[in-house]
């Protein structure tokens, strides 16, 4: 399967400026770039598709440029609804440094012939206002700019000149990369189509019609209801281990629905089409085993959190659902139960009162019945005594106690 055909099979192609030309260009080594928006100090799983696309280009023998928007990040790509809040130059510079390490887990920057990481502050930061207007602005038609989706949606509610000119700056990036690095391809999410077209147009106007460049977008990852993928109830699933633990990251993928997992495997897994089709078969025939979800969870967690993080995530998962929670360390328990209901109680609190305080039961009578049925465990031990008390002395690390109701529902108590 040729490179472009595989990208299409994986659902990674939406719009292409010249599909036949690009198919032919892929037959020999070419340089392609993808921009990374440093508006936060960590990327999240919504960015994974494009980062992994860089890896795919490298595996296919092409050179990639990961471009951090140290300059454009201070302005922000126009949002469909409201103006972005500007962040400082210092914040953007900090974010760029944080993101470099995250991208480096996926993309090989050890050989400049395979990949390099650049920051557009290095050239856009030196651009004067007159140069911007004469060398770039002169090539853009206001009517055409206003017709682009992101800008058209904002014309009624209002858009600042700052955000209005963002597409010119991104086009200037591609022109710079084309002239200095022979970068012939820009790829990005489908929301970047207007910017890609602006860039290819600028290159032809400045360098002549013989300049051949190609823009290619991929559909944004969305859930089955059409909402943007990459969010959980608690917020983003980040690639920074300090923001999202290995266990949380692993569990996110394990809990992907059967209706979504196959298209996510195609887009985010580096497994071969044959391997993915085999996992698709398992979804159809033995969905309860969640082989596809576990395969994606293991693959992505290994890259983002390393072997130690993956092993810890699997150990916590196995113990919480099938083993004795006391086999875990205190830190692992905290990580595994980060989202559990947490209730503060006094030392020596009766178990019945504790169950009611945490809304595990609605009354002491219901709590008593639950205990008598053997459905309550405290720190891994089943409780049968209704006079049992939760004490700080017996707490894990003298800090917290775990109560489990039934087989899977955990609750934390702090003193």
């Amino acid at each position: 399967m040729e490179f472009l055909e595989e990208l299409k099979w994986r659902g990674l192609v939406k719009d292409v400026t010249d599909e036949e030309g690009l198919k032919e260009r892929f037959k020999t080594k070419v340089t392609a770039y993808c921009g990374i928006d440093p508006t936060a100090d960590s990327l999240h799983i919504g960015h994974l598709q494009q980062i992994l696309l860089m890896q795919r280009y490298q595996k296919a023998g092409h050179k990639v440029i990961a471009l951090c928007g140290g300059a454009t990040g201070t302005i922000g790509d126009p949002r469909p609804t409201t103006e972005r809040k500007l962040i400082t130059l210092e914040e953007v510079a900090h974010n760029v440094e944080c993101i470099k390490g995250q991208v480096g887990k996926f993309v090989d920057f050890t050989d400049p012939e395979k990949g390099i990481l650049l920051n557009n502050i290095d050239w856009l930061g030196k651009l004067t206002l007159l140069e911007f207007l004469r060398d770039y602005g002169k090539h853009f038609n206001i009517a055409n700019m206003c017709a682009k989706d992101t800008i058209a949606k904002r014309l009624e509610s209002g858009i600042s000149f700052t955000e209005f000119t963002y597409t010119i700056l991104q086009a200037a990036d591609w022109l710079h990369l084309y002239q200095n690095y022979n970068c012939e391809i820009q790829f990005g999410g489908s929301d970047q189509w207007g910017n890609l077209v602006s860039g290819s147009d600028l290159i032809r106007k400045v360098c002549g019609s013989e300049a051949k460049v190609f823009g290619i977008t991929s559909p944004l990852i969305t859930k089955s209801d059409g909402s943007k993928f990459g969010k959980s109830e608690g917020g983003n699933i980040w690639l920074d281990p300090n923001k999202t633990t290995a266990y949380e990251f692993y569990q996110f993928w394990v809990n992907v629905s059967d209706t979504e997992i196959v298209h996510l495997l195609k887009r985010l897994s580096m497994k071969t089409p044959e391997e993915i089709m085999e996992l698709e078969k398992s979804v159809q025939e033995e969905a309860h085993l969640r082989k596809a979800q576990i395969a994606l969870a293991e693959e992505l967690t290994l890259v983002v959190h390393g072997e130690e993080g993956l092993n810890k995530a699997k150990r916590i998962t196995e113990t919480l659902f099938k083993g004795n929670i006391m086999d875990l360390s205190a830190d692992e328990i905290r990580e595994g139960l980060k989202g559990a209901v947490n209730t503060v109680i006094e030392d020596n609190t009766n178990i019945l009162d504790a169950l009611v305080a945490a809304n595990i039961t609605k009354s002491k009578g219901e709590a008593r019945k639950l205990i008598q049925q053997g459905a309550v465990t405290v720190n891994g031990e089943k409780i049968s005594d209704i006079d049992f008390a939760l004490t700080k002395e017996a707490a894990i690390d003298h800090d917290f106690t775990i109560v489990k109701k039934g087989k899977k529902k955990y609750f934390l108590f702090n003193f």
Side-chain angles (χ1 to χ4, degrees):
M1 193 183 296
E2 292 184 344
F3 184 51
L4 184 57
E5 289 305 308
E6 182 174 337
L7 292 183
K8 291 171 73 173
W9 178 84
R10 290 179 177 274
L12 292 171
V13 177
K14 186 177 187 297
D15 295 303
V16 186
T17 54
D18 176 7
E19 186 171 331
E20 285 304 312
L22 181 61
K23 184 178 180 180
E24 185 65 26
R25 187 63 189 88
F26 273 144
K27 291 180 179 179
T28 55
K29 184 177 179 179
V30 65
T31 299
Y33 101 89
C34 180
I36 303 168
D37 184 12
T39 49
D41 59 3
S42 174
L43 301 175
H44 57 72
I45 61 173
H47 298 104
L48 271 179
Q49 181 169 279
Q50 301 309 319
I51 298 173
L52 286 165
L53 266 168
M54 289 190 240
Q55 189 180 107
R56 294 187 199 282
Y57 273 75
Q58 284 192 328
K59 286 183 177 292
H62 304 298
K63 177 180 175 178
V64 297
I65 299 174
L67 180 62
C68 282
T72 45
T74 64
I75 293 172
D77 203 351
R79 291 189 297 186
T81 51
T82 57
E83 193 85 5
R84 287 182 183 272
K85 181 181 178 182
L86 294 181
I87 57 178
T88 66
L89 288 167
E90 291 74 22
E91 287 175 310
V92 173
H94 169 73
N95 294 346
V96 167
E97 288 305 309
C98 294
I99 288 169
K100 283 180 180 179
Q102 293 175 2
V103 178
K105 292 179 180 179
F106 296 86
V107 185
D108 182 5
F109 296 123
T110 60
D111 182 354
E113 287 304 308
K114 292 182 178 180
I116 56 175
L117 191 146
L118 301 175
N119 185 344
N120 62 14
I121 193 71
D122 293 336
W123 54 89
L124 293 183
K126 300 171 184 176
L127 192 63
T128 68
L129 176 60
L130 286 177
E131 288 172 331
F132 172 74
L133 295 173
R134 289 178 60 86
D135 298 343
Y136 302 105
K138 190 68 175 175
H139 297 290
F140 285 80
N141 182 287
I142 292 294
N144 292 339
M145 291 176 69
C146 289
K148 294 186 185 298
D149 273 353
T150 50
I151 293 177
K153 290 175 181 176
R154 289 278 301 281
L155 289 179
E156 278 193 31
S157 60
I159 182 171
S160 70
F161 178 74
T162 299
E163 287 195 5
F164 182 74
T165 58
Y166 179 92
T167 191
I168 301 178
L169 292 176
Q170 186 163 324
D173 279 339
W174 194 359
L175 175 61
H176 175 87
L177 296 178
Y178 177 75
Q179 291 175 323
N180 294 275
Y181 297 90
N182 194 30
C183 179
E184 299 171 53
I185 297 173
Q186 181 184 176
F187 60 92
S190 56
D191 57 343
Q192 293 299 307
W193 176 245
N195 292 328
L196 268 65
V197 171
S198 293
S200 62
D201 288 345
L202 178 63
I203 290 171
R204 279 191 291 270
K205 289 174 181 177
V206 173
C207 302
S209 58
E210 68 278 3
K212 289 287 185 181
V213 293
F214 307 90
I216 177 172
T217 67
S218 50
L220 297 176
I221 296 182
T222 58
K223 297 181 181 179
S224 55
D225 63 0
S227 61
K228 197 171 181 180
F229 204 84
K231 298 280 186 181
S232 69
E233 289 184 6
N236 274 320
I237 302 297
W238 301 97
L239 304 191
D240 182 348
N242 295 317
K243 294 178 180 288
T244 299
T245 66
Y247 172 74
E248 288 176 294
F249 188 86
Y250 180 86
Q251 280 296 311
F252 180 87
W253 302 110
V254 168
N255 288 311
V256 168
S257 71
D258 292 336
T259 57
E260 294 173 334
I261 187 58
V262 175
H263 87 260
L264 287 176
L265 271 168
K266 288 181 177 181
R267 296 191 191 190
L268 302 178
S269 174
M270 301 306 292
K271 296 183 187 300
T272 65
E274 292 74 22
E275 289 172 322
I276 292 173
M277 284 187 277
E278 191 63 30
L279 287 169
E280 182 177 14
K281 188 178 176 183
S282 77
V283 174
Q284 296 165 351
E285 298 178 356
E286 45 188 10
H288 64 286
L289 297 179
R290 305 190 78 74
K291 286 183 180 179
Q293 285 90 338
I294 291 170
L296 186 60
E298 290 183 350
E299 181 179 349
L300 295 179
T301 305
L302 179 62
V303 178
V304 175
H305 291 272
E307 189 171 354
E308 183 179 343
L310 173 60
N311 290 337
K312 181 169 69 170
K314 291 171 68 175
R315 184 169 62 252
I316 294 174
T317 298
E318 185 72 17
T319 304
L320 286 181
F321 292 97
K322 295 181 182 178
N324 185 346
I325 196 168
M326 297 307 291
D327 291 338
L328 300 174
S329 69
D331 286 340
E332 288 174 335
I333 293 172
R334 289 187 185 96
E335 184 170 331
L337 298 183
K338 186 177 178 181
V341 173
N342 198 320
T343 304
V344 178
I345 57 172
E346 296 293 327
D347 190 15
N348 205 39
T349 295
N350 177 268
I351 185 65
L352 300 180
D353 294 325
L355 294 177
V356 174
N359 289 319
I360 300 172
T361 61
K362 294 180 180 179
S363 66
K364 287 187 179 182
E366 185 183 337
R368 187 179 294 108
K369 187 175 180 181
L370 204 62
I371 291 170
Q372 291 169 343
Q373 291 172 340
V376 176
T377 62
V378 175
N379 291 343
E381 297 291 332
K382 191 170 288 188
I383 300 301
S384 57
D385 182 5
I386 59 174
D387 293 322
F388 183 86
L390 304 183
T391 66
K392 190 172 183 177
E393 179 64 29
I396 299 169
D397 271 7
H398 300 302
D399 181 31
F400 64 93
T401 289
I402 309 154
V403 171
K404 183 171 74 168
K405 174 187 174 183
K407 293 183 178 180
K408 294 182 180 179
K409 294 186 177 179
Y410 289 92
F411 301 84
L412 283 178
F413 289 87
N414 287 91
F415 294 90

